[in-house]
Amino acid sequence: QVQLVESGGGLVQPGGSLRLSCATSVSIFRLNRMAWYRQAPGKQRELVATITRAGSTDYTDSVKGRFTISKDNTKNMVYLQMNNLKTEDTAIYYCNVLEDVGGGPRNYWGQGTQVTVSS
């Protein structure tokens, strides 16, 4: 069982920056993939960024060059650095992980943290 707690959301002006943090209750070495999703009111949840246990990353086109996903194996943390924020980035951001277990992976979600970009 994996527990995830997000933090770092808030209100920021367009062009500003925020860093989101996801604290995991287990070692990063037990996780096959870590990801950040986001969801705006009335919209589908969208995959924003992923990072594998080995450190390979991928991003949705709308955030490439602006967002960076990273992890700290020692602290069991996953981060999302968001720069040059736009109003379209406004959403609840969720941490998601796949646990490496026998018989197939298990999927876990955090409670989310609100990011509001407004002038």
Side-chain angles (χ1 to χ4, degrees), residues 8-90:
L11 175 64
V12 65
Q13 294 182 350
S17 298
L18 287 173
R19 188 182 77 160
L20 306 184
S21 299
C22 175
T24 73
S25 63
V26 300
S27 172
I28 293 294
F29 293 109
R30 293 174 56 183
L31 305 176
N32 286 334
R33 192 196 76 168
M34 295 129 278
W36 287 94
Y37 288 74
R38 66 186 180 186
Q39 186 170 26
K43 305 295 184 181
Q44 293 185 351
R45 189 168 295 187
E46 174 190 27
L47 177 62
V48 177
T50 63
I51 185 168
T52 68
R53 184 166 54 202
S56 179
T57 60
D58 199 11
Y59 303 89
T60 190
D61 287 343
S62 64
V63 308
K64 287 181 178 178
R66 300 188 298 119
F67 290 10
T68 303
I69 188 171
S70 62
K71 60 184 176 67
D72 188 323
N73 296 335
T74 301
K75 297 180 179 180
N76 299 328
M77 298 284 289
V78 184
Y79 305 100
L80 184 68
Q81 178 67 46
M82 305 184 294
N83 298 326
N84 192 25
L85 283 161
K86 304 176 180 180
T87 56
E88 65 191 42
D89 296 318
T90 296

Side-chain angles (χ1 to χ4, degrees), residues 90-108:
T90 296
I92 301 175
Y93 284 71
Y94 297 91
C95 185
N96 168 263
V97 303
L98 295 177
E99 185 184 20
D100 184 14
V101 296
R106 296 180 181 180
N107 191 43
Y108 297 93

